[in-house]
Amino acid sequence: MLFRSGEKMAPETTKDLLEYLRDYHRKLSGLYERMAEESEQSKIKMLLHFLGRHEARFDKILGDYEDDAETKVLQTWFRVTPDKLPKLNGSELTPDMPVDDIMTAALHFDDTLIAFCRQLTTETESQDVKDLFVNILDLEEQEERKMAGAVQEF
């Protein structure tokens, strides 16, 4: 479902875009967990498991947003949708990268998600849809700050 950066998405509904975001978080979680299993360094394993759980939790939160949203919001079409998120191919991380490099990659992924959500808030005429994505954007930004703070312990 993920495509190269710079590709435009076809017109999508709010539900499609929420699923797209959830899928990206699931893929990030899987990437972190795979790297954790391959790492031989306990500190790196702990960090990668932490990041994997963080992404899995965000997938669940987005699922809750989707479950709670009104049908009319979920069925709202976007005429123009932003560039797709960069494809995750596994080369972004290696199992024994230094903590700083892992965090740089993790923050880059989060910044990309934040930029995507910010674009979604400007591409809709529906105030209800805009409010939904503003809430998700705020949550993404809060979670990024929390993650960056928590990772200082590693």
Side-chain angles (χ1 to χ4, degrees):
M1 182 172 205
L2 302 176
F3 299 88
R4 280 178 261 120
S5 181
E7 286 186 39
K8 289 288 185 188
M9 296 180 74
E12 305 273 353
T13 65
T14 301
K15 181 176 177 55
D16 296 331
L17 292 168
L18 283 171
E19 282 297 319
Y20 182 73
L21 286 169
R22 291 186 69 196
D23 185 57
Y24 200 78
H25 281 285
R26 282 189 296 269
K27 285 186 180 348
L28 276 175
S29 178
L31 176 63
Y32 292 137
E33 291 297 337
R34 276 191 311 283
M35 292 298 111
E37 293 306 315
E38 293 177 22
S39 180
E40 296 179 9
Q41 299 177 36
S42 60
K43 185 176 181 179
I44 299 298
K45 274 184 178 293
M46 287 175 34
L47 172 60
L48 289 166
H49 280 306
F50 169 81
L51 292 171
R53 287 189 308 271
H54 166 81
E55 294 300 333
R57 188 170 70 78
F58 210 89
D59 168 40
K60 182 181 178 335
I61 290 169
L62 288 175
D64 292 343
Y65 269 92
E66 189 175 336
D67 292 343
D68 294 343
E70 294 179 26
T71 302
K72 72 175 187 164
V73 170
L74 293 175
Q75 293 177 348
T76 300
W77 285 88
F78 280 71
R79 277 187 256 164
V80 177
T81 53
D83 291 347
K84 292 188 179 226
L85 295 164
K87 184 174 181 176
L88 300 172
N89 60 22
S91 67
E92 300 85 0
L93 296 173
T94 60
D96 295 309
M97 287 174 80
V99 169
D100 288 346
D101 291 350
I102 292 170
M103 281 314 302
T104 297
L107 291 172
H108 171 73
F109 295 142
D110 279 359
D111 287 344
T112 302
L113 283 160
I114 287 168
F116 185 82
C117 288
R118 186 168 283 118
Q119 278 186 291
L120 291 174
T121 66
T122 65
E123 297 295 345
T124 182
E125 296 173 13
S126 164
Q127 188 61 47
D128 290 336
V129 173
K130 184 176 188 147
D131 291 345
L132 173 74
F133 284 110
V134 164
N135 288 337
I136 291 171
L137 173 62
D138 290 345
L139 189 58
E140 288 273 7
E141 290 173 332
Q142 288 171 19
E143 288 296 312
E144 182 182 49
R145 284 191 298 273
K146 276 194 231 175
M147 178 187 64
V151 170
Q152 295 303 318
E153 297 174 20
F154 292 95

